[in-house]
Amino acid sequence: MMAERPHDEEQREREEGRPDPEELLRRYGLRDSDLEAPAPVAVSGAGSVVAPQPAAAGYAQRRGRLRVYLASAAGSGKTYAMLNEGHRREGRGTDVMVGYVETHGRPETEAQIGDLAVLPRKQVEYRGVTLEEMDTDAVIARHPKVALVDELAHTNVPGSKHTKRYQDVLEILDAGIDVVTTLNIQHLESLNDLVASITGVRVRETLPDWVLDRSDEVELVDISPYALRQRMKHGNIYPRERIETALNNFFLSLIHISEPTRQAEI
């Protein structure tokens, strides 16, 4: 018969196996000094931005947290979910601003913006046409606690500050601003060949997997193929002239790419 060990010895072994609480706080930037709010950024006349003053010695600026709403296909409700979270946080007293949202003309999504503060978009001239992109410098200058930024995999107009929107988001995070964003699963680089083999369409806008790996939270916005078809037939996703093509081709094939993940979670 195995002899019982003294209680003090068992307690000591359990404590030795625990991670050091201070080390965990330091690693994830959760110490009081890490959470110190960054100095506000002043905006001078003529649209120029005054650089923030360096943080006081011993106080590191906290990097923003990244939360991603990941969906299996367009129309799943990820932008709606992002805006809904913005309203919840604002209702708790958090300073929330819409850095960029793409409604695609969907009435339900447009209505969901509601009274959220929306940052004006930056006008970019390209080949004689004026296009709109997120004004990253203005987001950082305004410095909300949370910025809502739609379509993480988006490719910016040539001449923009960054080539890809995820690069804008990384800069915003480095400025200490939390970001809530959206992504469709077919834009992940590692799935590009799989998506092409199933749908016959090569997705041009892709996102490096390491960007998603670097996120602090990922929430799956799930929808069944039947519910997605119903939303489409009712005109909630695409204009009616595009519905039949979308139903028969690329669009619903994307649902089946994420089917193994959906089954594993049931």
Side-chain angles (χ1 to χ4, degrees):
M1 181 177 180
M2 185 178 295
E4 294 185 1
R5 291 182 295 174
H7 175 74
D8 291 345
E9 182 179 342
E10 292 182 355
Q11 179 70 16
R12 183 171 60 256
E13 288 183 1
R14 284 197 297 268
E15 290 178 352
E16 289 175 352
R18 292 174 180 170
D20 177 44
E22 181 62 26
E23 170 61 20
L24 289 177
L25 292 175
R26 184 200 64 76
R27 183 186 307 170
Y28 296 107
L30 296 175
R31 296 173 300 181
D32 290 341
S33 60
D34 298 324
L35 298 174
E36 186 75 9
V41 180
V43 180
S44 66
S48 60
V49 178
V50 180
Q53 297 299 314
Y59 288 86
Q61 178 170 282
R62 179 188 72 92
R63 181 179 182 272
R65 291 178 60 82
L66 178 61
R67 179 179 176 85
V68 181
Y69 280 100
L70 180 65
S72 55
S76 299
K78 63 189 184 302
T79 300
Y80 192 94
M82 177 189 73
L83 293 170
N84 192 37
E85 177 171 343
H87 283 291
R88 292 199 307 271
R89 293 197 183 197
E90 186 180 57
R92 296 195 294 265
T94 301
D95 182 14
V96 178
M97 169 161 281
V98 177
Y100 190 95
V101 63
E102 186 57 73
T103 66
H104 297 287
R106 297 166 188 160
E108 291 180 355
T109 306
E110 292 176 351
Q112 186 63 10
I113 296 174
D115 59 358
L116 289 172
V118 180
L119 193 75
R121 298 179 180 183
K122 187 172 185 177
Q123 307 292 311
V124 181
E125 294 288 335
Y126 179 65
R127 295 183 177 179
V129 179
T130 301
L131 302 171
E132 295 182 334
E133 294 289 359
M134 178 172 66
D135 194 335
T136 303
D137 289 336
V139 173
I140 295 173
R142 168 63 173 73
H143 215 285
K145 171 62 179 173
V146 178
L148 308 181
V149 182
D150 211 2
E151 298 189 352
L152 185 60
H154 171 76
T155 301
N156 293 329
V157 176
S160 299
K161 184 175 185 179
H162 296 296
T163 303
K164 301 286 290 186
R165 183 165 293 159
Y166 78 79
Q167 295 170 314
D168 294 315
V169 167
L170 293 177
E171 184 177 353
I172 293 170
L173 292 169
D174 287 340
I177 301 169
D178 295 343
V179 175
V180 182
T181 188
T182 65
L183 176 69
N184 283 332
I185 197 169
Q186 74 265 24
H187 293 291
L188 284 176
E189 280 187 353
S190 62
L191 295 178
N192 196 247
D193 290 340
L194 176 61
V195 171
S197 67
I198 293 176
T199 66
V201 177
R202 176 70 61 176
V203 176
R204 292 177 296 174
E205 289 190 322
T206 59
L207 179 82
D209 287 43
W210 64 262
V211 178
L212 188 62
D213 293 340
R214 190 172 172 178
S215 64
D216 298 282
E217 297 177 83
V218 177
E219 180 165 336
L220 180 63
V221 181
D222 200 11
I223 188 170
S224 69
Y226 173 79
L228 191 61
R229 288 190 187 95
Q230 293 303 111
R231 292 200 64 200
M232 187 176 295
K233 289 177 179 178
H234 293 156
N236 295 330
I237 300 174
Y238 288 140
R240 295 195 177 277
E241 62 271 16
R242 296 177 58 190
I243 292 176
E244 194 63 31
T245 300
L247 282 171
N248 293 331
N249 294 293
F250 175 76
F251 191 76
L252 287 177
S253 299
L254 297 173
I255 288 292
H256 300 292
I257 295 174
S258 60
E259 196 66 31
T261 302
R262 179 182 294 108
Q263 292 299 328
E265 292 180 344
I266 296 177

